[in-house]
Amino acid sequence: EAGVAQSPRYKIIEKRQSVAFWCNPISGHATLYWYQQILGQGPKLLIQFQNNGVVDDSQLPKDRFSAERLKGVDSTLKIQPAKLEDSAVYLCASSLMASGSTDTQYFGPGTRLTVL
Amino acid sequence: GQQVMQIPQYQHVQEGEDFTTYCNSSTTLSNIQWYKQRPGGHPVFLIQLVKSGEVKKQKRLTFQFGEAKKNSSLHITATQTTDVGTYFCAGRSSGYALNFGKGTSLLVTP
C-alpha cells in the first residue's frame, strides 16, 4: 500500500514570497490533516478535512495560509506571503475516518520550508 | 484550550537501561495516542489508549493511561540503539483535533 505522498520535499524562499505544498493521502482515506512542525516541537494541527469539507481550521493563520481539498482526495496548502517564522516542516497525514475506535494517522515525509 | 505537556524533554541512557516519558493534559482526554519520530523522519503511530487505567504492551514498550484520563506514560524496558528518536503523545479531548506534546528525545548510547 502506498503511503502519504508530499511534494516538494524541500523549499527555500525569501520572505514575502508565496509557496504551495501538495499532499496525496492514502487511497480511501477520508480524513486529511496538515500539520506544522517547528524544530524541537511537536506537530501543530493547521487544518483537518473530512472528504472535501473542513472539520477544524482553528489554528490556521487565515490571513496568510489557505488550504483546499476540492475533490476530497489530494490537497494543497499555500502560504502567501511567507514570514521568517513560517520556517518549519509541513506534514500531511491521513486517516481512514476521523472518529471510531481507532483512527491511526499516517504521516507523509513532510516538506521542509526555509524562509530567508 | 487543551494543553499536553511532556517530560522530560531529553533523556540520554546507556543501552540496556530503562526509559520512561510522561504526558499530562490540562483537560480530560477521550483518548491518547503515542508516536515515534526518528531523526529526520516523520511521526509513526505506535498505539492508542482509550479506557481509564488502560495498559498496553508492545514487546519492550508499555503504555499506560491514567485513571482520570489526564495523564499517560510510555516505558521502554532494556533500551536498544534502535529506540533512538523522539516520542510524542497526542491527546484528544472534545472534537476531532489531536494535540501533540513537545516530545521526549531519547538518545541511547551503546
Side-chain angles (χ1 to χ4, degrees), chain A residues 21-60:
Chain A
F21 313 126
W22 174 82
C23 172
N24 192 24
I26 292 172
S27 177
H29 280 196
T31 307
L32 184 147
Y33 314 78
W34 281 104
Y35 288 89
Q36 180 192 59
Q37 186 174 24
I38 293 172
L39 187 64
Q41 297 186 20
K44 172 186 147 185
L45 180 68
L46 294 175
I47 190 166
Q48 178 178 338
F49 293 95
Q50 184 152 1
N51 298 309
N52 60 352
V54 175
V55 172
D56 188 333
D57 64 356
S58 56
Q59 299 189 98
L60 186 73

PDB file of all heavy atoms in Angstrom, chain A residues 21-60:
ATOM      1  N   PHE A  21       2.306  23.690  -1.133  1.00  0.00           N
ATOM      2  CA  PHE A  21       2.680  22.307  -0.878  1.00  0.00           C
ATOM      3  C   PHE A  21       1.530  21.406  -1.316  1.00  0.00           C
ATOM      4  O   PHE A  21       0.367  21.766  -1.198  1.00  0.00           O
ATOM      5  CB  PHE A  21       2.936  22.070   0.621  1.00  0.00           C
ATOM      6  CG  PHE A  21       3.804  23.101   1.276  1.00  0.00           C
ATOM      7  CD1 PHE A  21       3.375  23.772   2.414  1.00  0.00           C
ATOM      8  CD2 PHE A  21       5.050  23.412   0.759  1.00  0.00           C
ATOM      9  CE1 PHE A  21       4.171  24.721   3.030  1.00  0.00           C
ATOM     10  CE2 PHE A  21       5.847  24.360   1.363  1.00  0.00           C
ATOM     11  CZ  PHE A  21       5.410  25.014   2.500  1.00  0.00           C
ATOM     12  N   TRP A  22       1.900  20.207  -1.749  1.00  0.00           N
ATOM     13  CA  TRP A  22       0.901  19.268  -2.244  1.00  0.00           C
ATOM     14  C   TRP A  22       0.938  17.982  -1.436  1.00  0.00           C
ATOM     15  O   TRP A  22       2.009  17.542  -0.996  1.00  0.00           O
ATOM     16  CB  TRP A  22       1.174  18.983  -3.723  1.00  0.00           C
ATOM     17  CG  TRP A  22       0.306  17.939  -4.319  1.00  0.00           C
ATOM     18  CD1 TRP A  22      -0.959  18.088  -4.788  1.00  0.00           C
ATOM     19  CD2 TRP A  22       0.633  16.569  -4.531  1.00  0.00           C
ATOM     20  NE1 TRP A  22      -1.432  16.903  -5.287  1.00  0.00           N
ATOM     21  CE2 TRP A  22      -0.475  15.955  -5.132  1.00  0.00           C
ATOM     22  CE3 TRP A  22       1.776  15.797  -4.263  1.00  0.00           C
ATOM     23  CZ2 TRP A  22      -0.489  14.601  -5.468  1.00  0.00           C
ATOM     24  CZ3 TRP A  22       1.770  14.458  -4.598  1.00  0.00           C
ATOM     25  CH2 TRP A  22       0.640  13.883  -5.203  1.00  0.00           C
ATOM     26  N   CYS A  23      -0.218  17.385  -1.240  1.00  0.00           N
ATOM     27  CA  CYS A  23      -0.308  16.132  -0.495  1.00  0.00           C
ATOM     28  C   CYS A  23      -1.304  15.200  -1.171  1.00  0.00           C
ATOM     29  O   CYS A  23      -2.417  15.616  -1.531  1.00  0.00           O
ATOM     30  CB  CYS A  23      -0.760  16.409   0.941  1.00  0.00           C
ATOM     31  SG  CYS A  23      -1.133  14.903   1.893  1.00  0.00           S
ATOM     32  N   ASN A  24      -0.913  13.949  -1.302  1.00  0.00           N
ATOM     33  CA  ASN A  24      -1.823  12.914  -1.794  1.00  0.00           C
ATOM     34  C   ASN A  24      -1.957  11.858  -0.697  1.00  0.00           C
ATOM     35  O   ASN A  24      -0.982  11.168  -0.388  1.00  0.00           O
ATOM     36  CB  ASN A  24      -1.312  12.294  -3.088  1.00  0.00           C
ATOM     37  CG  ASN A  24      -2.377  11.441  -3.762  1.00  0.00           C
ATOM     38  OD1 ASN A  24      -3.574  11.636  -3.549  1.00  0.00           O
ATOM     39  ND2 ASN A  24      -1.957  10.491  -4.558  1.00  0.00           N
ATOM     40  N   PRO A  25      -3.117  11.728  -0.079  1.00  0.00           N
ATOM     41  CA  PRO A  25      -3.254  10.801   1.047  1.00  0.00           C
ATOM     42  C   PRO A  25      -3.319   9.349   0.585  1.00  0.00           C
ATOM     43  O   PRO A  25      -3.351   9.058  -0.603  1.00  0.00           O
ATOM     44  CB  PRO A  25      -4.593  11.225   1.653  1.00  0.00           C
ATOM     45  CG  PRO A  25      -5.383  11.716   0.473  1.00  0.00           C
ATOM     46  CD  PRO A  25      -4.369  12.391  -0.419  1.00  0.00           C
ATOM     47  N   ILE A  26      -3.349   8.463   1.552  1.00  0.00           N
ATOM     48  CA  ILE A  26      -3.506   7.049   1.254  1.00  0.00           C
ATOM     49  C   ILE A  26      -4.883   6.850   0.618  1.00  0.00           C
ATOM     50  O   ILE A  26      -5.875   7.442   1.068  1.00  0.00           O
ATOM     51  CB  ILE A  26      -3.346   6.202   2.523  1.00  0.00           C
ATOM     52  CG1 ILE A  26      -1.893   6.281   3.007  1.00  0.00           C
ATOM     53  CG2 ILE A  26      -3.754   4.760   2.292  1.00  0.00           C
ATOM     54  CD1 ILE A  26      -1.643   5.640   4.351  1.00  0.00           C
ATOM     55  N   SER A  27      -4.934   6.021  -0.410  1.00  0.00           N
ATOM     56  CA  SER A  27      -6.173   5.804  -1.136  1.00  0.00           C
ATOM     57  C   SER A  27      -7.292   5.329  -0.207  1.00  0.00           C
ATOM     58  O   SER A  27      -7.096   4.421   0.616  1.00  0.00           O
ATOM     59  CB  SER A  27      -5.940   4.751  -2.224  1.00  0.00           C
ATOM     60  OG  SER A  27      -7.142   4.469  -2.905  1.00  0.00           O
ATOM     61  N   GLY A  28      -8.428   5.995  -0.301  1.00  0.00           N
ATOM     62  CA  GLY A  28      -9.570   5.596   0.507  1.00  0.00           C
ATOM     63  C   GLY A  28      -9.674   6.296   1.852  1.00  0.00           C
ATOM     64  O   GLY A  28     -10.676   6.135   2.556  1.00  0.00           O
ATOM     65  N   HIS A  29      -8.643   7.052   2.213  1.00  0.00           N
ATOM     66  CA  HIS A  29      -8.685   7.766   3.494  1.00  0.00           C
ATOM     67  C   HIS A  29      -9.540   9.020   3.371  1.00  0.00           C
ATOM     68  O   HIS A  29      -9.267   9.885   2.539  1.00  0.00           O
ATOM     69  CB  HIS A  29      -7.278   8.122   3.957  1.00  0.00           C
ATOM     70  CG  HIS A  29      -6.580   6.981   4.606  1.00  0.00           C
ATOM     71  ND1 HIS A  29      -5.448   7.139   5.387  1.00  0.00           N
ATOM     72  CD2 HIS A  29      -6.853   5.656   4.621  1.00  0.00           C
ATOM     73  CE1 HIS A  29      -5.068   5.956   5.846  1.00  0.00           C
ATOM     74  NE2 HIS A  29      -5.905   5.048   5.380  1.00  0.00           N
ATOM     75  N   ALA A  30     -10.540   9.118   4.227  1.00  0.00           N
ATOM     76  CA  ALA A  30     -11.477  10.231   4.147  1.00  0.00           C
ATOM     77  C   ALA A  30     -10.918  11.506   4.775  1.00  0.00           C
ATOM     78  O   ALA A  30     -11.278  12.604   4.385  1.00  0.00           O
ATOM     79  CB  ALA A  30     -12.792   9.863   4.829  1.00  0.00           C
ATOM     80  N   THR A  31     -10.054  11.343   5.760  1.00  0.00           N
ATOM     81  CA  THR A  31      -9.608  12.494   6.531  1.00  0.00           C
ATOM     82  C   THR A  31      -8.159  12.855   6.211  1.00  0.00           C
ATOM     83  O   THR A  31      -7.308  11.976   6.133  1.00  0.00           O
ATOM     84  CB  THR A  31      -9.757  12.219   8.040  1.00  0.00           C
ATOM     85  OG1 THR A  31     -11.097  11.809   8.290  1.00  0.00           O
ATOM     86  CG2 THR A  31      -9.466  13.467   8.851  1.00  0.00           C
ATOM     87  N   LEU A  32      -7.931  14.123   6.015  1.00  0.00           N
ATOM     88  CA  LEU A  32      -6.598  14.620   5.682  1.00  0.00           C
ATOM     89  C   LEU A  32      -6.256  15.768   6.611  1.00  0.00           C
ATOM     90  O   LEU A  32      -7.104  16.613   6.916  1.00  0.00           O
ATOM     91  CB  LEU A  32      -6.565  15.094   4.226  1.00  0.00           C
ATOM     92  CG  LEU A  32      -5.218  15.559   3.649  1.00  0.00           C
ATOM     93  CD1 LEU A  32      -5.147  15.220   2.165  1.00  0.00           C
ATOM     94  CD2 LEU A  32      -4.980  17.027   3.874  1.00  0.00           C
ATOM     95  N   TYR A  33      -5.023  15.771   7.088  1.00  0.00           N
ATOM     96  CA  TYR A  33      -4.557  16.765   8.053  1.00  0.00           C
ATOM     97  C   TYR A  33      -3.309  17.451   7.517  1.00  0.00           C
ATOM     98  O   TYR A  33      -2.450  16.813   6.906  1.00  0.00           O
ATOM     99  CB  TYR A  33      -4.168  16.092   9.381  1.00  0.00           C
ATOM    100  CG  TYR A  33      -5.137  15.077   9.933  1.00  0.00           C
ATOM    101  CD1 TYR A  33      -5.196  13.785   9.408  1.00  0.00           C
ATOM    102  CD2 TYR A  33      -5.961  15.390  11.017  1.00  0.00           C
ATOM    103  CE1 TYR A  33      -6.061  12.844   9.928  1.00  0.00           C
ATOM    104  CE2 TYR A  33      -6.824  14.439  11.542  1.00  0.00           C
ATOM    105  CZ  TYR A  33      -6.870  13.177  10.990  1.00  0.00           C
ATOM    106  OH  TYR A  33      -7.726  12.238  11.520  1.00  0.00           O
ATOM    107  N   TRP A  34      -3.189  18.732   7.820  1.00  0.00           N
ATOM    108  CA  TRP A  34      -1.941  19.460   7.615  1.00  0.00           C
ATOM    109  C   TRP A  34      -1.434  19.902   8.982  1.00  0.00           C
ATOM    110  O   TRP A  34      -2.173  20.506   9.767  1.00  0.00           O
ATOM    111  CB  TRP A  34      -2.146  20.701   6.739  1.00  0.00           C
ATOM    112  CG  TRP A  34      -2.243  20.428   5.274  1.00  0.00           C
ATOM    113  CD1 TRP A  34      -3.383  20.423   4.509  1.00  0.00           C
ATOM    114  CD2 TRP A  34      -1.171  20.161   4.373  1.00  0.00           C
ATOM    115  NE1 TRP A  34      -3.085  20.154   3.205  1.00  0.00           N
ATOM    116  CE2 TRP A  34      -1.716  19.993   3.083  1.00  0.00           C
ATOM    117  CE3 TRP A  34       0.215  20.056   4.522  1.00  0.00           C
ATOM    118  CZ2 TRP A  34      -0.942  19.717   1.964  1.00  0.00           C
ATOM    119  CZ3 TRP A  34       0.985  19.784   3.408  1.00  0.00           C
ATOM    120  CH2 TRP A  34       0.396  19.623   2.139  1.00  0.00           C
ATOM    121  N   TYR A  35      -0.169  19.589   9.245  1.00  0.00           N
ATOM    122  CA  TYR A  35       0.479  19.987  10.493  1.00  0.00           C
ATOM    123  C   TYR A  35       1.699  20.849  10.173  1.00  0.00           C
ATOM    124  O   TYR A  35       2.349  20.684   9.138  1.00  0.00           O
ATOM    125  CB  TYR A  35       0.976  18.761  11.276  1.00  0.00           C
ATOM    126  CG  TYR A  35      -0.090  17.915  11.917  1.00  0.00           C
ATOM    127  CD1 TYR A  35      -0.680  16.861  11.230  1.00  0.00           C
ATOM    128  CD2 TYR A  35      -0.486  18.146  13.238  1.00  0.00           C
ATOM    129  CE1 TYR A  35      -1.643  16.062  11.831  1.00  0.00           C
ATOM    130  CE2 TYR A  35      -1.449  17.340  13.841  1.00  0.00           C
ATOM    131  CZ  TYR A  35      -2.010  16.310  13.131  1.00  0.00           C
ATOM    132  OH  TYR A  35      -2.967  15.518  13.732  1.00  0.00           O
ATOM    133  N   GLN A  36       2.017  21.721  11.111  1.00  0.00           N
ATOM    134  CA  GLN A  36       3.264  22.487  11.070  1.00  0.00           C
ATOM    135  C   GLN A  36       4.129  22.000  12.229  1.00  0.00           C
ATOM    136  O   GLN A  36       3.667  21.979  13.376  1.00  0.00           O
ATOM    137  CB  GLN A  36       2.986  23.984  11.230  1.00  0.00           C
ATOM    138  CG  GLN A  36       4.236  24.859  11.207  1.00  0.00           C
ATOM    139  CD  GLN A  36       3.937  26.276  11.664  1.00  0.00           C
ATOM    140  OE1 GLN A  36       3.475  26.487  12.785  1.00  0.00           O
ATOM    141  NE2 GLN A  36       4.183  27.242  10.797  1.00  0.00           N
ATOM    142  N   GLN A  37       5.363  21.588  11.916  1.00  0.00           N
ATOM    143  CA  GLN A  37       6.266  21.155  12.982  1.00  0.00           C
ATOM    144  C   GLN A  37       7.511  22.036  12.965  1.00  0.00           C
ATOM    145  O   GLN A  37       8.368  21.917  12.079  1.00  0.00           O
ATOM    146  CB  GLN A  37       6.653  19.681  12.847  1.00  0.00           C
ATOM    147  CG  GLN A  37       7.464  19.178  14.030  1.00  0.00           C
ATOM    148  CD  GLN A  37       7.743  17.695  13.997  1.00  0.00           C
ATOM    149  OE1 GLN A  37       7.735  17.065  12.947  1.00  0.00           O
ATOM    150  NE2 GLN A  37       7.982  17.111  15.171  1.00  0.00           N
ATOM    151  N   ILE A  38       7.587  22.911  13.946  1.00  0.00           N
ATOM    152  CA  ILE A  38       8.764  23.754  14.117  1.00  0.00           C
ATOM    153  C   ILE A  38       9.826  22.942  14.832  1.00  0.00           C
ATOM    154  O   ILE A  38       9.511  22.087  15.671  1.00  0.00           O
ATOM    155  CB  ILE A  38       8.396  25.028  14.899  1.00  0.00           C
ATOM    156  CG1 ILE A  38       7.468  25.895  14.035  1.00  0.00           C
ATOM    157  CG2 ILE A  38       9.624  25.805  15.325  1.00  0.00           C
ATOM    158  CD1 ILE A  38       6.879  27.083  14.741  1.00  0.00           C
ATOM    159  N   LEU A  39      11.072  23.198  14.507  1.00  0.00           N
ATOM    160  CA  LEU A  39      12.184  22.428  15.061  1.00  0.00           C
ATOM    161  C   LEU A  39      12.111  22.347  16.579  1.00  0.00           C
ATOM    162  O   LEU A  39      11.982  23.369  17.265  1.00  0.00           O
ATOM    163  CB  LEU A  39      13.507  23.065  14.632  1.00  0.00           C
ATOM    164  CG  LEU A  39      14.782  22.298  14.974  1.00  0.00           C
ATOM    165  CD1 LEU A  39      14.808  20.969  14.227  1.00  0.00           C
ATOM    166  CD2 LEU A  39      16.011  23.132  14.643  1.00  0.00           C
ATOM    167  N   GLY A  40      12.168  21.137  17.101  1.00  0.00           N
ATOM    168  CA  GLY A  40      12.173  20.937  18.542  1.00  0.00           C
ATOM    169  C   GLY A  40      10.794  20.900  19.174  1.00  0.00           C
ATOM    170  O   GLY A  40      10.680  20.813  20.404  1.00  0.00           O
ATOM    171  N   GLN A  41       9.763  20.961  18.354  1.00  0.00           N
ATOM    172  CA  GLN A  41       8.398  20.931  18.886  1.00  0.00           C
ATOM    173  C   GLN A  41       7.583  19.807  18.263  1.00  0.00           C
ATOM    174  O   GLN A  41       8.001  19.186  17.280  1.00  0.00           O
ATOM    175  CB  GLN A  41       7.714  22.277  18.631  1.00  0.00           C
ATOM    176  CG  GLN A  41       8.392  23.441  19.330  1.00  0.00           C
ATOM    177  CD  GLN A  41       7.617  24.727  19.193  1.00  0.00           C
ATOM    178  OE1 GLN A  41       6.420  24.724  18.903  1.00  0.00           O
ATOM    179  NE2 GLN A  41       8.288  25.838  19.429  1.00  0.00           N
ATOM    180  N   GLY A  42       6.442  19.558  18.847  1.00  0.00           N
ATOM    181  CA  GLY A  42       5.544  18.573  18.278  1.00  0.00           C
ATOM    182  C   GLY A  42       4.735  19.155  17.136  1.00  0.00           C
ATOM    183  O   GLY A  42       4.652  20.375  16.982  1.00  0.00           O
ATOM    184  N   PRO A  43       4.152  18.297  16.315  1.00  0.00           N
ATOM    185  CA  PRO A  43       3.308  18.793  15.217  1.00  0.00           C
ATOM    186  C   PRO A  43       2.119  19.593  15.753  1.00  0.00           C
ATOM    187  O   PRO A  43       1.511  19.215  16.748  1.00  0.00           O
ATOM    188  CB  PRO A  43       2.831  17.504  14.539  1.00  0.00           C
ATOM    189  CG  PRO A  43       3.810  16.456  14.938  1.00  0.00           C
ATOM    190  CD  PRO A  43       4.246  16.834  16.319  1.00  0.00           C
ATOM    191  N   LYS A  44       1.819  20.664  15.078  1.00  0.00           N
ATOM    192  CA  LYS A  44       0.673  21.501  15.427  1.00  0.00           C
ATOM    193  C   LYS A  44      -0.324  21.439  14.275  1.00  0.00           C
ATOM    194  O   LYS A  44       0.014  21.740  13.137  1.00  0.00           O
ATOM    195  CB  LYS A  44       1.125  22.940  15.675  1.00  0.00           C
ATOM    196  CG  LYS A  44      -0.007  23.948  15.864  1.00  0.00           C
ATOM    197  CD  LYS A  44       0.562  25.355  15.953  1.00  0.00           C
ATOM    198  CE  LYS A  44      -0.358  26.379  15.377  1.00  0.00           C
ATOM    199  NZ  LYS A  44       0.222  27.729  15.348  1.00  0.00           N
ATOM    200  N   LEU A  45      -1.561  21.050  14.599  1.00  0.00           N
ATOM    201  CA  LEU A  45      -2.571  20.924  13.561  1.00  0.00           C
ATOM    202  C   LEU A  45      -2.920  22.293  12.984  1.00  0.00           C
ATOM    203  O   LEU A  45      -3.253  23.217  13.708  1.00  0.00           O
ATOM    204  CB  LEU A  45      -3.838  20.279  14.128  1.00  0.00           C
ATOM    205  CG  LEU A  45      -4.981  20.082  13.135  1.00  0.00           C
ATOM    206  CD1 LEU A  45      -4.615  19.025  12.093  1.00  0.00           C
ATOM    207  CD2 LEU A  45      -6.268  19.690  13.857  1.00  0.00           C
ATOM    208  N   LEU A  46      -2.856  22.395  11.654  1.00  0.00           N
ATOM    209  CA  LEU A  46      -3.274  23.617  10.973  1.00  0.00           C
ATOM    210  C   LEU A  46      -4.709  23.489  10.484  1.00  0.00           C
ATOM    211  O   LEU A  46      -5.536  24.378  10.675  1.00  0.00           O
ATOM    212  CB  LEU A  46      -2.355  23.917   9.783  1.00  0.00           C
ATOM    213  CG  LEU A  46      -0.903  24.270  10.116  1.00  0.00           C
ATOM    214  CD1 LEU A  46      -0.099  24.428   8.838  1.00  0.00           C
ATOM    215  CD2 LEU A  46      -0.850  25.543  10.949  1.00  0.00           C
ATOM    216  N   ILE A  47      -5.009  22.380   9.833  1.00  0.00           N
ATOM    217  CA  ILE A  47      -6.334  22.196   9.261  1.00  0.00           C
ATOM    218  C   ILE A  47      -6.605  20.710   9.086  1.00  0.00           C
ATOM    219  O   ILE A  47      -5.691  19.927   8.851  1.00  0.00           O
ATOM    220  CB  ILE A  47      -6.469  22.943   7.913  1.00  0.00           C
ATOM    221  CG1 ILE A  47      -7.923  22.964   7.420  1.00  0.00           C
ATOM    222  CG2 ILE A  47      -5.542  22.368   6.857  1.00  0.00           C
ATOM    223  CD1 ILE A  47      -8.169  23.962   6.302  1.00  0.00           C
ATOM    224  N   GLN A  48      -7.869  20.355   9.240  1.00  0.00           N
ATOM    225  CA  GLN A  48      -8.314  18.976   9.074  1.00  0.00           C
ATOM    226  C   GLN A  48      -9.510  18.953   8.141  1.00  0.00           C
ATOM    227  O   GLN A  48     -10.470  19.703   8.323  1.00  0.00           O
ATOM    228  CB  GLN A  48      -8.695  18.388  10.428  1.00  0.00           C
ATOM    229  CG  GLN A  48      -9.226  16.966  10.375  1.00  0.00           C
ATOM    230  CD  GLN A  48      -9.535  16.401  11.739  1.00  0.00           C
ATOM    231  OE1 GLN A  48      -9.009  16.866  12.751  1.00  0.00           O
ATOM    232  NE2 GLN A  48     -10.390  15.395  11.782  1.00  0.00           N
ATOM    233  N   PHE A  49      -9.418  18.115   7.132  1.00  0.00           N
ATOM    234  CA  PHE A  49     -10.507  17.911   6.182  1.00  0.00           C
ATOM    235  C   PHE A  49     -11.117  16.536   6.393  1.00  0.00           C
ATOM    236  O   PHE A  49     -10.423  15.572   6.651  1.00  0.00           O
ATOM    237  CB  PHE A  49     -10.001  17.941   4.729  1.00  0.00           C
ATOM    238  CG  PHE A  49      -9.488  19.258   4.261  1.00  0.00           C
ATOM    239  CD1 PHE A  49      -8.136  19.553   4.321  1.00  0.00           C
ATOM    240  CD2 PHE A  49     -10.343  20.198   3.708  1.00  0.00           C
ATOM    241  CE1 PHE A  49      -7.642  20.761   3.853  1.00  0.00           C
ATOM    242  CE2 PHE A  49      -9.865  21.412   3.244  1.00  0.00           C
ATOM    243  CZ  PHE A  49      -8.512  21.693   3.314  1.00  0.00           C
ATOM    244  N   GLN A  50     -12.432  16.460   6.270  1.00  0.00           N
ATOM    245  CA  GLN A  50     -13.076  15.164   6.115  1.00  0.00           C
ATOM    246  C   GLN A  50     -13.747  15.191   4.752  1.00  0.00           C
ATOM    247  O   GLN A  50     -14.659  15.987   4.530  1.00  0.00           O
ATOM    248  CB  GLN A  50     -14.080  14.883   7.224  1.00  0.00           C
ATOM    249  CG  GLN A  50     -14.668  13.483   7.111  1.00  0.00           C
ATOM    250  CD  GLN A  50     -15.108  12.918   8.439  1.00  0.00           C
ATOM    251  OE1 GLN A  50     -14.989  13.577   9.469  1.00  0.00           O
ATOM    252  NE2 GLN A  50     -15.612  11.706   8.434  1.00  0.00           N
ATOM    253  N   ASN A  51     -13.265  14.313   3.880  1.00  0.00           N
ATOM    254  CA  ASN A  51     -13.612  14.386   2.458  1.00  0.00           C
ATOM    255  C   ASN A  51     -13.221  15.781   1.965  1.00  0.00           C
ATOM    256  O   ASN A  51     -12.078  16.176   2.122  1.00  0.00           O
ATOM    257  CB  ASN A  51     -15.060  14.011   2.240  1.00  0.00           C
ATOM    258  CG  ASN A  51     -15.317  12.575   2.672  1.00  0.00           C
ATOM    259  OD1 ASN A  51     -14.610  11.661   2.262  1.00  0.00           O
ATOM    260  ND2 ASN A  51     -16.316  12.370   3.518  1.00  0.00           N
ATOM    261  N   ASN A  52     -14.121  16.564   1.418  1.00  0.00           N
ATOM    262  CA  ASN A  52     -13.698  17.879   0.936  1.00  0.00           C
ATOM    263  C   ASN A  52     -14.171  19.012   1.838  1.00  0.00           C
ATOM    264  O   ASN A  52     -14.078  20.177   1.470  1.00  0.00           O
ATOM    265  CB  ASN A  52     -14.157  18.096  -0.501  1.00  0.00           C
ATOM    266  CG  ASN A  52     -15.672  18.019  -0.628  1.00  0.00           C
ATOM    267  OD1 ASN A  52     -16.350  17.668   0.320  1.00  0.00           O
ATOM    268  ND2 ASN A  52     -16.196  18.356  -1.783  1.00  0.00           N
ATOM    269  N   GLY A  53     -14.658  18.657   3.035  1.00  0.00           N
ATOM    270  CA  GLY A  53     -15.106  19.672   3.975  1.00  0.00           C
ATOM    271  C   GLY A  53     -14.117  19.900   5.093  1.00  0.00           C
ATOM    272  O   GLY A  53     -13.429  18.979   5.527  1.00  0.00           O
ATOM    273  N   VAL A  54     -14.054  21.142   5.573  1.00  0.00           N
ATOM    274  CA  VAL A  54     -13.147  21.497   6.670  1.00  0.00           C
ATOM    275  C   VAL A  54     -13.800  21.134   8.002  1.00  0.00           C
ATOM    276  O   VAL A  54     -14.914  21.564   8.296  1.00  0.00           O
ATOM    277  CB  VAL A  54     -12.809  22.998   6.642  1.00  0.00           C
ATOM    278  CG1 VAL A  54     -11.960  23.361   7.858  1.00  0.00           C
ATOM    279  CG2 VAL A  54     -12.082  23.356   5.355  1.00  0.00           C
ATOM    280  N   VAL A  55     -13.077  20.344   8.802  1.00  0.00           N
ATOM    281  CA  VAL A  55     -13.569  19.949  10.123  1.00  0.00           C
ATOM    282  C   VAL A  55     -13.038  20.888  11.202  1.00  0.00           C
ATOM    283  O   VAL A  55     -13.750  21.264  12.121  1.00  0.00           O
ATOM    284  CB  VAL A  55     -13.160  18.496  10.431  1.00  0.00           C
ATOM    285  CG1 VAL A  55     -13.486  18.141  11.871  1.00  0.00           C
ATOM    286  CG2 VAL A  55     -13.839  17.535   9.471  1.00  0.00           C
ATOM    287  N   ASP A  56     -11.747  21.251  11.071  1.00  0.00           N
ATOM    288  CA  ASP A  56     -11.112  22.105  12.078  1.00  0.00           C
ATOM    289  C   ASP A  56     -10.028  22.928  11.392  1.00  0.00           C
ATOM    290  O   ASP A  56      -9.118  22.362  10.796  1.00  0.00           O
ATOM    291  CB  ASP A  56     -10.513  21.232  13.189  1.00  0.00           C
ATOM    292  CG  ASP A  56      -9.992  22.037  14.383  1.00  0.00           C
ATOM    293  OD1 ASP A  56      -9.608  23.206  14.206  1.00  0.00           O
ATOM    294  OD2 ASP A  56      -9.962  21.489  15.500  1.00  0.00           O
ATOM    295  N   ASP A  57     -10.150  24.229  11.470  1.00  0.00           N
ATOM    296  CA  ASP A  57      -9.081  25.108  10.974  1.00  0.00           C
ATOM    297  C   ASP A  57      -8.816  26.219  11.977  1.00  0.00           C
ATOM    298  O   ASP A  57      -8.398  27.311  11.621  1.00  0.00           O
ATOM    299  CB  ASP A  57      -9.408  25.679   9.598  1.00  0.00           C
ATOM    300  CG  ASP A  57     -10.632  26.584   9.600  1.00  0.00           C
ATOM    301  OD1 ASP A  57     -11.284  26.701  10.667  1.00  0.00           O
ATOM    302  OD2 ASP A  57     -10.939  27.171   8.558  1.00  0.00           O
ATOM    303  N   SER A  58      -9.066  25.913  13.252  1.00  0.00           N
ATOM    304  CA  SER A  58      -8.971  26.938  14.291  1.00  0.00           C
ATOM    305  C   SER A  58      -7.549  27.462  14.489  1.00  0.00           C
ATOM    306  O   SER A  58      -7.363  28.565  14.988  1.00  0.00           O
ATOM    307  CB  SER A  58      -9.512  26.387  15.615  1.00  0.00           C
ATOM    308  OG  SER A  58      -8.819  25.205  15.978  1.00  0.00           O
ATOM    309  N   GLN A  59      -6.536  26.680  14.124  1.00  0.00           N
ATOM    310  CA  GLN A  59      -5.161  27.124  14.324  1.00  0.00           C
ATOM    311  C   GLN A  59      -4.484  27.520  13.007  1.00  0.00           C
ATOM    312  O   GLN A  59      -3.260  27.678  12.974  1.00  0.00           O
ATOM    313  CB  GLN A  59      -4.346  26.028  15.039  1.00  0.00           C
ATOM    314  CG  GLN A  59      -4.898  25.681  16.417  1.00  0.00           C
ATOM    315  CD  GLN A  59      -3.979  24.771  17.204  1.00  0.00           C
ATOM    316  OE1 GLN A  59      -3.207  25.207  18.051  1.00  0.00           O
ATOM    317  NE2 GLN A  59      -4.069  23.474  16.909  1.00  0.00           N
ATOM    318  N   LEU A  60      -5.250  27.673  11.981  1.00  0.00           N
ATOM    319  CA  LEU A  60      -4.698  28.095  10.692  1.00  0.00           C
ATOM    320  C   LEU A  60      -4.649  29.622  10.634  1.00  0.00           C
ATOM    321  O   LEU A  60      -5.693  30.268  10.795  1.00  0.00           O
ATOM    322  CB  LEU A  60      -5.575  27.567   9.551  1.00  0.00           C
ATOM    323  CG  LEU A  60      -5.065  27.792   8.139  1.00  0.00           C
ATOM    324  CD1 LEU A  60      -3.899  26.857   7.851  1.00  0.00           C
ATOM    325  CD2 LEU A  60      -6.197  27.576   7.126  1.00  0.00           C
TER     326      LEU A  60
END
